[in-house]
Amino acid sequence: MSDFLLTQIINYGAPILGAIVLIGAMGAPFPGTLIVIAAGAFAKQGLLTWYSTGLIALTCVVIGDNLSYAMGHFAREPVLRRFQDSENWIKAETTFNRWGGMSVFWTRFLLTGIAVPVNLIAGTSGFGFRRFFIYDLVGEAIWIFGYGGLGYLFGTQWEVVSDILSNISGLSLGLILLAIGIWLSVRQLKTRPQRNEVL
Amino acid sequence: MSPGKQRILVTVLIVLGILLAGFFGLRFFHTFRELRRHGPPPVPPLASMEDAPAAETDVELIRDWMTVPYIAMTYHVHPKVIFDALGISPRGNEDKSLAQLNEEFFTQSPGLVIELVKATVQAHQPTPTVESVPPSAP
């Protein structure tokens, strides 16, 4: 898949890059980070103009993110009908409204694998659109210009950078899951003696 | 959530976390060593920033997804030279990747096109010149 997309970018340039990141932001399993880094390298070679390509890609990816937020927003009614009275849903909604901004921000460029679910949850949980838009725009700007800039810096050796960044992303996700698991188990251990005392 | 289900969730999170962190951590370590071996290319002096980028010389960086015009631009070799070496007409084939050209024209020999292109590009690289060293004083 990535080979085919790379060939299309060197043939047709920024519009194809824009289409790829837009569709990727709506949930298609495209290797977005690899494509953005490669685009940076192509810009260095003079195949793409870095500022216009960057702006097209940023506009497209933000549109894609907002469309997936909208999907979540329009699914809110049926979800609420089903879970409105659920204590867990209310807790999840409150938690997302508290931490959602950071979730949106970090999933734009570091934990990109869970960006689409975060968009959907943001839309469904009633997370404010303006807040979503600002965090999304800043995070995606880092993704496009930061990662694209690394591709520009490393030129024809961009594949090594792409490997490193995708490994950092996977490593971060693993460490976050591990931290949540440890935090939950510590909380369980803390509540257990209290239960015993009550008994 | 019942305590039993909570315990399963915690176990799954911890095991999955360890597996992901271990797998990607090892890969990260491996690729980081690669990066240190290559290192970022030197930043050109400001005066040459506006000029066209220097030609790439490492033919091992040629990939199946690249097209002939793209390789020609990257390695500063005329596209006609590469198409002639492949025995293919440029017309209608300029936007095809090396993999597509291989599939279309050399179905029986997988990987032939990329090898031919590498050899052609290598043969057209400028030969390194030895800088004249001033004779040392007696």
Side-chain angles (χ1 to χ4, degrees):
Chain A
M1 169 66 84
S2 55
D3 284 5
F4 173 76
L5 297 176
L6 288 168
T7 308
Q8 302 319 307
I9 292 174
I10 57 176
N11 281 332
Y12 305 108
I16 286 288
L17 174 70
I20 293 168
V21 292
L22 189 148
I23 299 168
M26 291 173 66
F30 290 161
T33 299
L34 179 136
I35 296 289
V36 167
I37 296 168
F42 297 155
K44 185 176 190 175
Q45 291 177 301
L47 201 68
L48 303 171
T49 318
W50 74 265
Y51 49 89
S52 58
T53 305
L55 283 178
I56 289 171
L58 182 61
T59 309
C60 289
V61 76
V62 169
I63 290 172
D65 285 335
N66 283 290
L67 286 173
S68 55
Y69 171 92
M71 283 190 251
H73 178 75
F74 290 114
R76 183 172 162 78
E77 282 303 313
V79 170
L80 279 184
R81 267 202 298 274
R82 171 78 176 79
F83 296 109
Q84 200 167 23
D85 302 324
S86 151
E87 198 187 319
N88 285 340
W89 171 257
I90 294 166
K91 221 188 275 180
E93 207 174 56
T94 315
T95 310
F96 195 85
N97 272 307
R98 194 167 157 205
W99 297 105
M102 282 294 114
S103 310
V104 172
F105 177 72
W106 289 107
T107 53
R108 301 307 97 171
F109 58 94
L110 191 62
L111 302 165
T112 49
I114 53 169
V116 178
V118 167
N119 296 346
L120 292 170
I121 294 168
T124 317
S125 64
F127 186 76
F129 175 72
R130 203 176 293 171
R131 275 173 72 200
F132 174 83
F133 182 79
I134 291 167
Y135 282 110
D136 181 51
L137 185 66
V138 176
E140 294 294 17
I142 293 174
W143 188 55
I144 297 287
F145 290 105
Y147 286 28
L150 282 173
Y152 189 94
L153 178 69
F154 280 80
T156 48
Q157 290 169 14
W158 61 269
E159 285 167 317
V160 184
V161 185
S162 169
D163 276 354
I164 286 200
L165 289 174
S166 65
N167 290 333
I168 288 179
S169 182
L171 179 64
S172 309
L173 185 63
L175 290 176
I176 287 172
L177 289 181
L178 189 62
I180 294 172
I182 291 171
W183 177 71
L184 284 175
S185 65
V186 168
R187 214 176 63 163
Q188 273 181 1
L189 284 174
K190 273 185 183 171
T191 52
R192 197 172 290 166
Q194 286 167 8
R195 274 189 206 146
N196 291 345
E197 279 168 24
V198 172
L199 288 171
Chain B
M1 197 185 284
S2 67
K5 276 185 184 171
Q6 267 187 15
R7 216 172 300 134
I8 292 170
L9 176 71
V10 165
T11 312
V12 167
L13 281 174
I14 289 177
V15 170
L16 200 63
I18 289 171
L19 285 176
L20 280 176
F23 177 72
F24 286 105
L26 280 175
R27 278 180 46 148
F28 170 72
F29 177 70
H30 178 73
T31 41
F32 187 71
R33 271 198 336 197
E34 276 282 294
L35 182 71
R36 284 187 65 182
R37 201 158 55 85
H38 287 293
V43 178
L46 278 176
S48 67
M49 289 287 267
E50 296 302 315
D51 301 335
E56 176 58 56
T57 52
D58 183 2
V59 292
E60 291 309 314
L61 293 173
I62 293 175
R63 298 283 182 270
D64 256 350
W65 54 264
M66 296 176 175
T67 61
V68 171
Y70 175 73
I71 295 167
M73 185 196 75
T74 307
Y75 290 86
H76 293 197
V77 176
H78 200 281
K80 194 174 178 306
V81 172
I82 302 175
F83 276 119
D84 284 350
L86 293 173
I88 296 172
S89 162
R91 191 177 292 172
N93 294 317
E94 288 186 322
D95 58 356
K96 289 178 184 163
S97 67
L98 300 188
Q100 284 173 305
L101 291 175
N102 208 118
E103 257 179 49
E104 206 167 306
F105 296 100
F106 304 94
T107 319
Q108 302 301 319
S109 320
L112 179 68
V113 167
I114 193 166
E115 289 311 319
L116 277 174
V117 170
K118 278 181 186 178
T120 310
V121 170
Q122 186 74 65
H124 284 80
Q125 293 298 299
T127 45
T129 52
V130 181
E131 279 180 34
S132 55
V133 181
S136 54

PDB file of all heavy atoms in Angstrom, chain B residues 112-138:
ATOM      1  N   LEU B 112      14.319  -7.953 -11.783  1.00  0.00           N
ATOM      2  CA  LEU B 112      15.309  -7.655 -12.833  1.00  0.00           C
ATOM      3  C   LEU B 112      15.418  -6.144 -13.083  1.00  0.00           C
ATOM      4  O   LEU B 112      16.523  -5.601 -13.191  1.00  0.00           O
ATOM      5  CB  LEU B 112      14.938  -8.375 -14.132  1.00  0.00           C
ATOM      6  CG  LEU B 112      15.885  -8.107 -15.300  1.00  0.00           C
ATOM      7  CD1 LEU B 112      17.257  -8.736 -15.054  1.00  0.00           C
ATOM      8  CD2 LEU B 112      15.325  -8.631 -16.617  1.00  0.00           C
ATOM      9  N   VAL B 113      14.265  -5.469 -13.138  1.00  0.00           N
ATOM     10  CA  VAL B 113      14.273  -4.039 -13.475  1.00  0.00           C
ATOM     11  C   VAL B 113      15.078  -3.240 -12.453  1.00  0.00           C
ATOM     12  O   VAL B 113      15.941  -2.439 -12.820  1.00  0.00           O
ATOM     13  CB  VAL B 113      12.817  -3.515 -13.590  1.00  0.00           C
ATOM     14  CG1 VAL B 113      12.794  -1.993 -13.608  1.00  0.00           C
ATOM     15  CG2 VAL B 113      12.186  -4.047 -14.863  1.00  0.00           C
ATOM     16  N   ILE B 114      14.845  -3.490 -11.193  1.00  0.00           N
ATOM     17  CA  ILE B 114      15.554  -2.705 -10.158  1.00  0.00           C
ATOM     18  C   ILE B 114      17.068  -2.965 -10.242  1.00  0.00           C
ATOM     19  O   ILE B 114      17.870  -2.039 -10.099  1.00  0.00           O
ATOM     20  CB  ILE B 114      14.968  -2.972  -8.741  1.00  0.00           C
ATOM     21  CG1 ILE B 114      15.495  -1.922  -7.764  1.00  0.00           C
ATOM     22  CG2 ILE B 114      15.237  -4.362  -8.242  1.00  0.00           C
ATOM     23  CD1 ILE B 114      14.759  -1.867  -6.445  1.00  0.00           C
ATOM     24  N   GLU B 115      17.445  -4.195 -10.513  1.00  0.00           N
ATOM     25  CA  GLU B 115      18.874  -4.501 -10.617  1.00  0.00           C
ATOM     26  C   GLU B 115      19.497  -3.811 -11.834  1.00  0.00           C
ATOM     27  O   GLU B 115      20.592  -3.259 -11.740  1.00  0.00           O
ATOM     28  CB  GLU B 115      19.098  -6.028 -10.692  1.00  0.00           C
ATOM     29  CG  GLU B 115      18.825  -6.756  -9.378  1.00  0.00           C
ATOM     30  CD  GLU B 115      19.514  -6.124  -8.174  1.00  0.00           C
ATOM     31  OE1 GLU B 115      20.684  -5.720  -8.305  1.00  0.00           O
ATOM     32  OE2 GLU B 115      18.873  -6.021  -7.110  1.00  0.00           O
ATOM     33  N   LEU B 116      18.764  -3.836 -12.971  1.00  0.00           N
ATOM     34  CA  LEU B 116      19.256  -3.163 -14.181  1.00  0.00           C
ATOM     35  C   LEU B 116      19.396  -1.659 -13.947  1.00  0.00           C
ATOM     36  O   LEU B 116      20.386  -1.050 -14.356  1.00  0.00           O
ATOM     37  CB  LEU B 116      18.294  -3.406 -15.349  1.00  0.00           C
ATOM     38  CG  LEU B 116      18.459  -4.715 -16.125  1.00  0.00           C
ATOM     39  CD1 LEU B 116      17.337  -4.874 -17.150  1.00  0.00           C
ATOM     40  CD2 LEU B 116      19.809  -4.733 -16.845  1.00  0.00           C
ATOM     41  N   VAL B 117      18.401  -1.090 -13.282  1.00  0.00           N
ATOM     42  CA  VAL B 117      18.421   0.354 -13.022  1.00  0.00           C
ATOM     43  C   VAL B 117      19.595   0.697 -12.108  1.00  0.00           C
ATOM     44  O   VAL B 117      20.337   1.645 -12.360  1.00  0.00           O
ATOM     45  CB  VAL B 117      17.072   0.818 -12.418  1.00  0.00           C
ATOM     46  CG1 VAL B 117      17.167   2.254 -11.928  1.00  0.00           C
ATOM     47  CG2 VAL B 117      15.968   0.700 -13.445  1.00  0.00           C
ATOM     48  N   LYS B 118      19.781  -0.097 -11.071  1.00  0.00           N
ATOM     49  CA  LYS B 118      20.904   0.153 -10.141  1.00  0.00           C
ATOM     50  C   LYS B 118      22.235   0.115 -10.899  1.00  0.00           C
ATOM     51  O   LYS B 118      23.084   0.983 -10.730  1.00  0.00           O
ATOM     52  CB  LYS B 118      20.922  -0.906  -9.024  1.00  0.00           C
ATOM     53  CG  LYS B 118      19.954  -0.624  -7.893  1.00  0.00           C
ATOM     54  CD  LYS B 118      20.073  -1.713  -6.833  1.00  0.00           C
ATOM     55  CE  LYS B 118      19.042  -1.559  -5.751  1.00  0.00           C
ATOM     56  NZ  LYS B 118      19.113  -2.631  -4.754  1.00  0.00           N
ATOM     57  N   ALA B 119      22.392  -0.910 -11.747  1.00  0.00           N
ATOM     58  CA  ALA B 119      23.649  -1.065 -12.489  1.00  0.00           C
ATOM     59  C   ALA B 119      23.853   0.115 -13.443  1.00  0.00           C
ATOM     60  O   ALA B 119      24.965   0.645 -13.551  1.00  0.00           O
ATOM     61  CB  ALA B 119      23.626  -2.386 -13.251  1.00  0.00           C
ATOM     62  N   THR B 120      22.772   0.541 -14.113  1.00  0.00           N
ATOM     63  CA  THR B 120      22.883   1.649 -15.068  1.00  0.00           C
ATOM     64  C   THR B 120      23.251   2.944 -14.360  1.00  0.00           C
ATOM     65  O   THR B 120      24.136   3.683 -14.806  1.00  0.00           O
ATOM     66  CB  THR B 120      21.537   1.836 -15.817  1.00  0.00           C
ATOM     67  OG1 THR B 120      21.113   0.573 -16.307  1.00  0.00           O
ATOM     68  CG2 THR B 120      21.659   2.820 -16.952  1.00  0.00           C
ATOM     69  N   VAL B 121      22.555   3.196 -13.264  1.00  0.00           N
ATOM     70  CA  VAL B 121      22.827   4.433 -12.516  1.00  0.00           C
ATOM     71  C   VAL B 121      24.259   4.415 -11.983  1.00  0.00           C
ATOM     72  O   VAL B 121      24.985   5.395 -12.085  1.00  0.00           O
ATOM     73  CB  VAL B 121      21.797   4.611 -11.371  1.00  0.00           C
ATOM     74  CG1 VAL B 121      22.196   5.744 -10.451  1.00  0.00           C
ATOM     75  CG2 VAL B 121      20.416   4.850 -11.934  1.00  0.00           C
ATOM     76  N   GLN B 122      24.659   3.274 -11.458  1.00  0.00           N
ATOM     77  CA  GLN B 122      26.024   3.132 -10.929  1.00  0.00           C
ATOM     78  C   GLN B 122      27.060   3.413 -12.026  1.00  0.00           C
ATOM     79  O   GLN B 122      28.052   4.115 -11.795  1.00  0.00           O
ATOM     80  CB  GLN B 122      26.216   1.709 -10.381  1.00  0.00           C
ATOM     81  CG  GLN B 122      27.536   1.462  -9.685  1.00  0.00           C
ATOM     82  CD  GLN B 122      27.594   2.112  -8.308  1.00  0.00           C
ATOM     83  OE1 GLN B 122      26.836   1.731  -7.424  1.00  0.00           O
ATOM     84  NE2 GLN B 122      28.447   3.090  -8.142  1.00  0.00           N
ATOM     85  N   ALA B 123      26.786   2.884 -13.218  1.00  0.00           N
ATOM     86  CA  ALA B 123      27.732   3.065 -14.332  1.00  0.00           C
ATOM     87  C   ALA B 123      27.816   4.523 -14.777  1.00  0.00           C
ATOM     88  O   ALA B 123      28.811   4.923 -15.374  1.00  0.00           O
ATOM     89  CB  ALA B 123      27.306   2.193 -15.504  1.00  0.00           C
ATOM     90  N   HIS B 124      26.774   5.295 -14.498  1.00  0.00           N
ATOM     91  CA  HIS B 124      26.775   6.701 -14.930  1.00  0.00           C
ATOM     92  C   HIS B 124      27.123   7.675 -13.809  1.00  0.00           C
ATOM     93  O   HIS B 124      26.889   8.874 -13.945  1.00  0.00           O
ATOM     94  CB  HIS B 124      25.411   7.057 -15.544  1.00  0.00           C
ATOM     95  CG  HIS B 124      25.277   6.501 -16.934  1.00  0.00           C
ATOM     96  ND1 HIS B 124      24.941   5.180 -17.163  1.00  0.00           N
ATOM     97  CD2 HIS B 124      25.478   7.061 -18.145  1.00  0.00           C
ATOM     98  CE1 HIS B 124      24.916   4.963 -18.459  1.00  0.00           C
ATOM     99  NE2 HIS B 124      25.232   6.082 -19.076  1.00  0.00           N
ATOM    100  N   GLN B 125      27.623   7.143 -12.701  1.00  0.00           N
ATOM    101  CA  GLN B 125      28.056   8.036 -11.626  1.00  0.00           C
ATOM    102  C   GLN B 125      29.389   8.660 -12.014  1.00  0.00           C
ATOM    103  O   GLN B 125      30.228   7.984 -12.621  1.00  0.00           O
ATOM    104  CB  GLN B 125      28.239   7.261 -10.310  1.00  0.00           C
ATOM    105  CG  GLN B 125      26.951   6.716  -9.729  1.00  0.00           C
ATOM    106  CD  GLN B 125      25.980   7.813  -9.377  1.00  0.00           C
ATOM    107  OE1 GLN B 125      26.271   8.660  -8.550  1.00  0.00           O
ATOM    108  NE2 GLN B 125      24.823   7.821 -10.027  1.00  0.00           N
ATOM    109  N   PRO B 126      29.585   9.937 -11.669  1.00  0.00           N
ATOM    110  CA  PRO B 126      30.885  10.537 -11.979  1.00  0.00           C
ATOM    111  C   PRO B 126      31.989   9.834 -11.179  1.00  0.00           C
ATOM    112  O   PRO B 126      31.786   9.492 -10.010  1.00  0.00           O
ATOM    113  CB  PRO B 126      30.732  11.985 -11.526  1.00  0.00           C
ATOM    114  CG  PRO B 126      29.546  11.996 -10.619  1.00  0.00           C
ATOM    115  CD  PRO B 126      28.688  10.844 -11.001  1.00  0.00           C
ATOM    116  N   THR B 127      33.102   9.579 -11.837  1.00  0.00           N
ATOM    117  CA  THR B 127      34.199   8.897 -11.138  1.00  0.00           C
ATOM    118  C   THR B 127      34.824   9.865 -10.138  1.00  0.00           C
ATOM    119  O   THR B 127      35.024  11.043 -10.459  1.00  0.00           O
ATOM    120  CB  THR B 127      35.285   8.426 -12.122  1.00  0.00           C
ATOM    121  OG1 THR B 127      35.543   9.489 -13.027  1.00  0.00           O
ATOM    122  CG2 THR B 127      34.858   7.198 -12.876  1.00  0.00           C
ATOM    123  N   PRO B 128      35.091   9.381  -8.922  1.00  0.00           N
ATOM    124  CA  PRO B 128      35.655  10.284  -7.913  1.00  0.00           C
ATOM    125  C   PRO B 128      37.032  10.798  -8.345  1.00  0.00           C
ATOM    126  O   PRO B 128      37.842  10.031  -8.859  1.00  0.00           O
ATOM    127  CB  PRO B 128      35.752   9.415  -6.657  1.00  0.00           C
ATOM    128  CG  PRO B 128      35.625   8.014  -7.129  1.00  0.00           C
ATOM    129  CD  PRO B 128      34.931   8.020  -8.429  1.00  0.00           C
ATOM    130  N   THR B 129      37.224  12.089  -8.183  1.00  0.00           N
ATOM    131  CA  THR B 129      38.518  12.669  -8.567  1.00  0.00           C
ATOM    132  C   THR B 129      39.386  12.819  -7.333  1.00  0.00           C
ATOM    133  O   THR B 129      38.898  13.174  -6.267  1.00  0.00           O
ATOM    134  CB  THR B 129      38.331  14.053  -9.202  1.00  0.00           C
ATOM    135  OG1 THR B 129      37.526  14.827  -8.321  1.00  0.00           O
ATOM    136  CG2 THR B 129      37.662  13.964 -10.572  1.00  0.00           C
ATOM    137  N   VAL B 130      40.662  12.524  -7.496  1.00  0.00           N
ATOM    138  CA  VAL B 130      41.594  12.667  -6.370  1.00  0.00           C
ATOM    139  C   VAL B 130      42.124  14.090  -6.383  1.00  0.00           C
ATOM    140  O   VAL B 130      42.641  14.561  -7.404  1.00  0.00           O
ATOM    141  CB  VAL B 130      42.753  11.650  -6.501  1.00  0.00           C
ATOM    142  CG1 VAL B 130      43.704  11.778  -5.318  1.00  0.00           C
ATOM    143  CG2 VAL B 130      42.208  10.253  -6.632  1.00  0.00           C
ATOM    144  N   GLU B 131      41.907  14.802  -5.284  1.00  0.00           N
ATOM    145  CA  GLU B 131      42.388  16.186  -5.208  1.00  0.00           C
ATOM    146  C   GLU B 131      43.910  16.197  -5.186  1.00  0.00           C
ATOM    147  O   GLU B 131      44.544  15.370  -4.527  1.00  0.00           O
ATOM    148  CB  GLU B 131      41.851  16.860  -3.941  1.00  0.00           C
ATOM    149  CG  GLU B 131      40.419  17.349  -4.147  1.00  0.00           C
ATOM    150  CD  GLU B 131      39.903  18.010  -2.900  1.00  0.00           C
ATOM    151  OE1 GLU B 131      40.694  18.656  -2.195  1.00  0.00           O
ATOM    152  OE2 GLU B 131      38.708  17.884  -2.630  1.00  0.00           O
ATOM    153  N   SER B 132      44.455  17.111  -5.949  1.00  0.00           N
ATOM    154  CA  SER B 132      45.925  17.165  -6.003  1.00  0.00           C
ATOM    155  C   SER B 132      46.479  17.669  -4.675  1.00  0.00           C
ATOM    156  O   SER B 132      46.012  18.674  -4.138  1.00  0.00           O
ATOM    157  CB  SER B 132      46.365  18.079  -7.130  1.00  0.00           C
ATOM    158  OG  SER B 132      45.765  19.340  -6.966  1.00  0.00           O
ATOM    159  N   VAL B 133      47.372  16.923  -4.152  1.00  0.00           N
ATOM    160  CA  VAL B 133      47.961  17.273  -2.863  1.00  0.00           C
ATOM    161  C   VAL B 133      49.292  17.992  -3.119  1.00  0.00           C
ATOM    162  O   VAL B 133      50.111  17.482  -3.887  1.00  0.00           O
ATOM    163  CB  VAL B 133      48.200  15.997  -2.016  1.00  0.00           C
ATOM    164  CG1 VAL B 133      48.793  16.335  -0.659  1.00  0.00           C
ATOM    165  CG2 VAL B 133      46.907  15.226  -1.866  1.00  0.00           C
ATOM    166  N   PRO B 134      49.465  19.166  -2.555  1.00  0.00           N
ATOM    167  CA  PRO B 134      50.734  19.860  -2.793  1.00  0.00           C
ATOM    168  C   PRO B 134      51.900  19.056  -2.248  1.00  0.00           C
ATOM    169  O   PRO B 134      51.802  18.439  -1.179  1.00  0.00           O
ATOM    170  CB  PRO B 134      50.573  21.170  -2.043  1.00  0.00           C
ATOM    171  CG  PRO B 134      49.455  20.970  -1.090  1.00  0.00           C
ATOM    172  CD  PRO B 134      48.586  19.901  -1.651  1.00  0.00           C
ATOM    173  N   PRO B 135      53.007  19.004  -3.014  1.00  0.00           N
ATOM    174  CA  PRO B 135      54.156  18.210  -2.540  1.00  0.00           C
ATOM    175  C   PRO B 135      54.693  18.777  -1.228  1.00  0.00           C
ATOM    176  O   PRO B 135      54.738  19.988  -1.048  1.00  0.00           O
ATOM    177  CB  PRO B 135      55.174  18.375  -3.664  1.00  0.00           C
ATOM    178  CG  PRO B 135      54.739  19.586  -4.434  1.00  0.00           C
ATOM    179  CD  PRO B 135      53.275  19.717  -4.259  1.00  0.00           C
ATOM    180  N   SER B 136      54.977  17.865  -0.355  1.00  0.00           N
ATOM    181  CA  SER B 136      55.457  18.314   0.963  1.00  0.00           C
ATOM    182  C   SER B 136      56.874  18.911   0.840  1.00  0.00           C
ATOM    183  O   SER B 136      57.658  18.487  -0.017  1.00  0.00           O
ATOM    184  CB  SER B 136      55.463  17.147   1.950  1.00  0.00           C
ATOM    185  OG  SER B 136      56.218  16.105   1.371  1.00  0.00           O
ATOM    186  N   ALA B 137      57.107  19.863   1.663  1.00  0.00           N
ATOM    187  CA  ALA B 137      58.414  20.539   1.619  1.00  0.00           C
ATOM    188  C   ALA B 137      59.525  19.573   2.042  1.00  0.00           C
ATOM    189  O   ALA B 137      59.323  18.755   2.930  1.00  0.00           O
ATOM    190  CB  ALA B 137      58.408  21.738   2.552  1.00  0.00           C
ATOM    191  N   PRO B 138      60.656  19.652   1.358  1.00  0.00           N
ATOM    192  CA  PRO B 138      61.748  18.725   1.735  1.00  0.00           C
ATOM    193  C   PRO B 138      62.274  19.028   3.134  1.00  0.00           C
ATOM    194  O   PRO B 138      62.245  20.138   3.588  1.00  0.00           O
ATOM    195  CB  PRO B 138      62.816  18.971   0.683  1.00  0.00           C
ATOM    196  CG  PRO B 138      62.527  20.321   0.110  1.00  0.00           C
ATOM    197  CD  PRO B 138      61.066  20.558   0.281  1.00  0.00           C
TER     198      PRO B 138
END
